Amino acid sequence: MRSKQKTIALINDLSGFGRCSLTVSLPILSALQVQCAVLPTCILSNHTAYPSYLFHDLTDDMSPWMEEWKKLDLSFNGIYTGFLGSEDQIQKVKDFCTMFQTSQTCMIVDPVMGDHGKIYPTYTEGMCEKMKELARMADVLTPNLTEACRLLDRPFRNDYSKEDLERIIRDLLDLGPQKAVISGLEMDDEVFNLAIERGKEPCWIPTKKVLPFRHGTGDVFASVIAGDAVKGLGFYESVQKAADFVHDCLLISNQLEVPMEDGVAFEEILGNLITKN
Ligand code: PXL
């Protein structure tokens, strides 16, 4: 490592407007005192939930980018991957891990593939299969229920029992990660995050539901988990912190009348993440 400060490689897209992926991860990880190195997968004028967007793919630049980083002899405490645009891109992320992952590196995979029972239209069958391979390489996996079901080839249902869900999260660990959390499980007026750490019992972590659901909350959640993971903080405490932060972001976004697609107004409370540990 070049210094004693924790460093993380972020492999994600840059969406110019709409607060998701890198525009969320960079400020959050900086607030958590983690140095960020960025490998952009593509650049967009705004995220894909808006009716129109400009899109530039950067897949062909990824390998030369990695070669430059090799020349600098960079190494990372963490690698965090999010939204990916093609099978080729997922392969590049696997290549990145082969080049840069050491026994000291914590790999956080947010398998961004869909939500509310629907896989995103940009996600092909082949990409879902390739995402499974990436999930197997993760130390920490942060799917929502839609993504967890897809990774395990199970049907999506929103009436799974607690026992079913605990079986699902144990099955996710069997893919390979040390830790996993299924975020955003709605039950009445609460939202649960079901977390598990190898060798421990699963843990149900609740927050109060705040409607409406907004874009980018998965990225906010996973960024907090990623920062705490590279700092070696306790997983279940970190999931509670991430869930509380998302909850507070949703509340403030409602107060500020933020349009749903514009993500959450995390900037208003980013300072809450700054601590000494
Ligand atoms: O927040 C997930 C995400 C990330 N990046 C892009 C997206 C989305 C979700 O729609 O479109 C480009």
Side-chain angles (χ1 to χ4, degrees):
M1 299 293 164
R2 290 165 94 82
S3 80
K4 291 183 179 167
Q5 190 182 22
K6 300 293 184 195
T7 308
I8 192 165
L10 306 180
I11 311 177
N12 215 331
D13 68 88
L14 178 74
S15 290
F17 188 76
R19 284 181 291 210
C20 68
S21 36
L22 284 173
T23 60
V24 164
S25 300
L26 277 168
I28 289 181
L29 282 146
S30 300
L32 293 170
Q33 298 105 23
V34 179
Q35 182 190 8
C36 298
V38 173
L39 169 52
T41 53
C42 56
I43 53 175
L44 301 96
S45 53
N46 45 270
H47 64 60
T48 62
Y50 293 100
S52 165
Y53 51 89
L54 174 77
F55 170 82
H56 274 297
D57 186 43
L58 294 175
T59 309
D60 290 343
D61 293 299
M62 289 175 74
S63 296
W65 197 290
M66 293 181 218
E67 291 302 333
E68 294 300 327
W69 281 7
K70 253 309 173 215
K71 286 186 213 165
L72 291 174
D73 199 23
L74 299 190
S75 57
F76 306 103
N77 302 97
I79 300 171
Y80 164 30
T81 76
F83 183 87
L84 295 167
S86 63
E87 276 184 64
D88 218 23
Q89 239 174 46
I90 304 176
Q91 184 55 46
K92 300 277 181 205
V93 176
K94 289 180 67 184
D95 297 346
F96 185 92
C97 294
T98 310
M99 282 171 82
F100 292 100
Q101 201 171 12
T102 68
S103 56
Q104 317 271 317
T105 316
C106 176
M107 181 166 177
I108 301 102
V109 173
D110 186 14
V112 180
M113 293 194 287
D115 214 349
H116 299 107
K118 291 207 175 66
I119 296 295
Y120 294 133
T122 52
Y123 253 81
T124 60
E125 274 298 301
M127 285 173 73
C128 290
E129 289 308 307
K130 205 91 187 137
M131 188 55 99
K132 261 191 226 172
E133 293 172 23
L134 196 60
R136 287 198 189 95
M137 297 169 73
D139 296 297
V140 183
L141 193 62
T142 60
N144 58 33
L145 184 59
T146 306
E147 294 153 350
C149 290
R150 185 62 193 81
L151 288 173
L152 295 169
D153 292 313
R154 282 176 189 251
F156 172 84
R157 282 178 29 199
N158 45 24
D159 61 349
Y160 277 124
S161 66
K162 282 199 158 187
E163 293 70 33
D164 289 336
L165 291 165
E166 289 188 6
R167 196 161 320 114
I168 289 175
I169 201 155
R170 286 184 199 279
D171 288 348
L172 283 178
L173 273 202
D174 286 344
L175 292 178
Q178 294 298 316
K179 299 168 189 171
V181 53
I182 303 178
S183 58
L185 297 165
E186 287 177 65
M187 288 174 201
D188 304 321
D189 61 348
E190 285 185 306
V191 178
F192 284 88
N193 297 282
L194 173 57
I196 193 163
E197 189 169 352
R198 199 171 286 280
K200 292 194 184 170
E201 285 303 303
C203 182
W204 289 86
I205 294 158
T207 48
K208 283 253 167 302
K209 192 191 289 185
V210 182
L211 293 173
F213 289 105
R214 292 174 180 276
H215 286 276
T217 51
D219 298 321
V220 172
F221 182 81
S223 298
V224 175
I225 302 276
D228 283 357
V230 296
K231 291 164 82 178
L233 302 182
F235 186 53
Y236 295 164
E237 292 79 7
S238 169
V239 172
Q240 183 73 66
K241 173 170 149 189
D244 289 345
F245 187 65
V246 170
H247 167 271
D248 295 350
C249 285
L250 287 166
L251 277 188
I252 195 99
S253 302
N254 283 353
Q255 282 164 23
L256 296 173
E257 299 175 17
V258 173
M260 255 180 72
E261 306 76 36
D262 292 5
V264 288
F266 67 87
E267 303 87 347
E268 298 282 329
I269 53 168
L270 190 59
N272 296 356
L273 291 179
I274 301 175
T275 56
K276 282 267 178 284
N277 62 5

